[in-house]
Structure formats: structure tokens, C-alpha cells
Amino acid sequence: MTPQLTEFFEFLRFPSISTDSRHKDDVRACADYLMQKFTGMGLKPELHETPGHPIVIARSEVKAGRPTVLIYGHYDVQPVDPVDEWATPPFEPTLKGDKIFCRGATDNKGQHFSHMLGVEETIRENGELPVNVIFLLEGEEEIGSPNLAPFLKAHQDELKCDICAVSDTGMIGPGIPTMTYGLRGIACLDFKIHGPTLDLHSGVYGGAVPNPATIVSRIVASLHNPEGVVRIRGFYDKVVPLEQWERDMWGSLPDGNAATLAETGAPGLWGEAGYTALEQRWGRPTAEVNGIGGGYQGEGSKTVIPREAMAKLSFRLVPDQDPAEILQLAKAHLEATCPDSCRIEVELGHDGPAYVMDPHSSYGKAAQNALRIAFSDEPRLIREGGSIPIIQSIKDILGVDTLLLGLALPDCQIHAPNESFTVSNFEAGIRLNRALLEELAK
Ligand code: BES
Ligand code: ZN
């Protein structure tokens, strides 16, 4: 174990699960750890309270006449359940071969910690950095960053920068440098169907009264036609079609359909006709059911008509869909599809727009040079299906683009049991940070 890995393991041990209030103190302890680390590196850290979890800022020495780079990351992590499916304890980092297993190893602790170590190495070796650096690490990304946009607005002068860099996206394969120039947006909602006022005997009343679980299923089934096209009226109205150069570039990558099957283990592909798996994942909008429930879930059978049932939906969005408008369209669709025999209750959740930048801009080219140096290979240009809503807020509020230089591998299992990050990518992240700051200084 190198001293750098030992430190990384210390950072990984904090169970900083932002969505679970029982872990509130752990999230804060993790922020305190970052404060100490930044101080030790020679940066000036600040802990900013929010109505939720704290935001950590750390600044390097500022020299006039050189660019300022904002490096964003998130130290909060996803919950660990189903915990029984972890082969090792989720918050005890475990090294097996090149892989470090731990919740948050890839998403996102490993990725931003390697940037921190890159900065630390440069300062140690050269006494200074080639650019001004501001780290911005939040503890609420996995719950939709509710307090970060207001924070950016309130502190826009102190956060003034020329470009933002983030490693919180994927690589298309081990050793293949990947620059992501777009992310999908997101819009979430929950709905509940209320039927009878109490659970009923399904023999005594079945047939004559609506079954909320059946109605939820019918509504969920109404979201797509058999070809996988979303049936919500107006859903596609503002969708910007994929450009031919993007389709060509993604078509030149190793077979995305086969990779999608291999990564997911699904017996077959599904979805909108006329698009490859990569085009669907990176450049087309979707409607997904993230949770569905109602009625008896225990062992054996129980003949009951549940009095209510629910589903949780999320929509992935592409430019120029407006998340708030999509939520209204979806709500109208759900309400219109619910029969009069039941009552529907829709609760809108968090949302954020899609993001795209020009990968051929001068900063985009600098990022590609850095990837080339760190991985000794030609960078591939992709978009990603996941969402980091704050990236568009950084554009809107601070006025700068973000270079998305992700280090997540296809088999890293973020958000799932047995998440891992490789030691190779941890080290590549350190090299990437060093090359990036050099290239951005030119
Ligand atoms: N790092 C991910 C987003 C991501 C993953 C982008 C893979 C590209 C490739 C991030 O931590 C995340 O999970 N974001 C959430 C969004 C949020 C609003 C809950 C997501 O995409 O579900
Ligand atoms: Zn995540």
C-alpha cells in the first residue's frame, strides 16, 4: 500500500450517505476530513454550512494573469442496500487485484481524490501550481444538489473561474481515455393510486372495485408504445436530434450494442427503434420506472386488494427539453390515464437539464491533450446517459463550461452493491490532473 492509497482508504471509510438522515454526522465527518486534507496540502479550505450537508471549498494561491480552474466533485455517496449482496463490508475498502471495493470508490471519492493528490504532488515537487485552483466539493449530489445552485449564486464572485473540470463520468473501457461532452438531464416524480379506503378481501370484492396495483400497472404500461417510444404528449417536441458526426463517431467505437448486453447481463436490448444502444443511452430521452409497489410482498399468497399502490418515475432528458415542462406533461398524462374509479396523487421531485459543450473549443482541446498524456492513447468523444445537474448551473451562474474527464469503468457498479475503483485509474487520475493543469496553463 502506498501512502496515497492508505489515505484514500481513510477517506472511503466515511459512510457519507446523503439521503439517509441517520448518516448526517458521517457526512459532516467526511467534510471535516477533507478540510484537514486540504490544509495539509497547503490550500486554504472553507467549510460552508447549508440547510443540508456542508460544502467544502479549497483555494490555491492566486496569481494574476493565469487561468483559474474550478474542480468540482461530491463526497456524498449512494445508500448501500441491498447490503446482503456485498461480498465485503461496503465501507471497509478492500483491495482485490487492481480493484478497490467500497461504496463511493468510483462515485465519486476516488475520482476527485485523485485530482486532490495530483495537486498535492505538483505543489510538493514544484512549490506551486501552473494555474489557480478552486476545489468545490459538495455533500448532496446524490440527492440532486438542492443547495448548490443557491450557493453558486451567493458566492459567484469568489468562485469566478475560467473553466471547470469534473471527473464524475465514465470511460468506455480500461485504458481508453474518454472525454464526455454531454450529459442527460433528469426529472423525477412519484405517484400514488388510492382506491378503496381499506385493504379488501379480493374474493369478496374483487371484480367490482378497482385494484390500485392494477391501475398503477396500466398507467406505467401507458408510458411507452410497443416500440419503446414515450407516449406522453409533447415529450419529444423540443428534442434536438443527434448530429451526424456524433452518430458516426459513436458508430466507430467498439460495438455498443454488444457492450451494453455484456455490461448489463440483459438477455436482449429494448427501446426506441432506429437508434443504437449508445445513441439511446447518450442522446435520446427516456421514461423509467425506478420503483413500483403495492399489496402483499411477503411469502406465499395473501388474497388482498391493496387500498393503494405507487410508482416512482424518472425521465432522462436531452437538449433542449425543459425539465419543469416535462414534469407538467408527465403529470397531465398520468392524471388523464387514471380512471375515475381511483384517485391519483402526483408528487414532483428534483430535476435538472441536459448539458452539452463543444469538445473542439480550446479548453476542450487542452482536456484532450491531458487525456492523451495520462493514458498514451487517442481520446474518444462521447456523451453520457447519467446526469450531473449542477454542470448546467455552473454554466448558467458562473458562465463557464465544464470538462468532463471521467474515470468510471463500465464494470465499476456505481449505485449497486460491490462498487469498485481500480488502482490503475486512481493513479491515472493523479497523472490526468497534473497534465490537465499544465495544458490549461498554456
Ligand atoms: N456520477 C453520477 C452521474 C453519472 C454516472 C454520469 C455515470 C455519467 C456516467 C452521479 O453521481 C449520479 O449518479 N447522478 C444522478 C443524478 C442525481 C440528480 C440523483 C443520476 O444520474 O442518477
Ligand atoms: Zn452517483
Side-chain angles (χ1 to χ4, degrees), residues 163-177:
I163 188 72
C164 176
V166 176
S167 287
D168 194 22
T169 48
M171 289 169 63
I172 63 168
I176 306 176

Side-chain angles (χ1 to χ4, degrees), residues 161-379:
C161 57
D162 298 285
I163 188 72
C164 176
V166 176
S167 287
D168 194 22
T169 48
M171 289 169 63
I172 63 168
I176 306 176
T178 307
M179 171 158 168
T180 296
Y181 63 92
L183 295 164
R184 286 197 289 192
I186 190 167
C188 301
L189 65 78
D190 293 2
F191 75 91
K192 228 181 215 170
I193 297 294
H194 302 275
T197 53
L198 69 171
D199 282 5
L200 300 174
H201 188 292
S202 65
V204 175
Y205 294 104
V209 294
N211 181 323
T214 307
I215 303 304
V216 164
S217 313
R218 292 182 68 96
I219 293 176
V220 164
S222 79
L223 291 171
H224 301 93
N225 77 7
E227 280 75 49
V229 176
V230 177
R231 287 185 54 231
I232 296 169
R233 183 164 309 160
F235 186 75
Y236 293 98
D237 284 1
K238 294 190 177 162
V239 169
V240 176
L242 283 167
E243 291 187 22
Q244 195 54 46
W245 72 267
E246 307 182 276
R247 301 188 86 167
D248 292 345
M249 177 164 333
W250 302 350
S252 74
L253 300 175
D255 186 5
N257 286 3
T260 302
L261 285 175
E263 287 161 26
T264 62
L269 293 173
W270 188 83
E272 236 187 320
Y275 294 94
T276 66
L278 294 183
E279 288 167 352
Q280 293 195 57
R281 287 166 51 192
W282 298 344
R284 297 294 297 169
T286 62
E288 294 292 348
V289 187
N290 299 129
I292 184 163
Y296 183 62
Q297 317 268 325
E299 195 181 337
S301 60
K302 177 172 189 266
T303 49
V304 65
I305 295 176
R307 64 188 176 86
E308 61 181 33
M310 54 66 71
K312 288 176 181 283
L313 308 183
S314 63
F315 302 91
R316 292 290 167 166
L317 311 177
V318 300
D320 289 326
Q321 286 176 298
D322 172 6
E325 189 182 323
I326 293 295
L327 283 177
Q328 288 309 325
L329 294 173
K331 182 167 187 266
H333 174 92
L334 301 177
E335 287 169 350
T337 314
C338 179
D340 293 339
S341 55
C342 283
R343 182 170 63 83
I344 185 167
E345 196 188 338
V346 181
E347 197 180 324
L348 304 185
H350 64 78
D351 66 55
Y355 175 75
V356 238
M357 55 91 68
D358 174 12
H360 309 297
S361 65
S362 57
Y363 285 124
K365 286 189 183 133
Q368 290 175 57
N369 287 340
L371 284 168
R372 213 175 274 120
I373 293 165
F375 290 93
S376 310
D377 193 3
E378 200 45 35

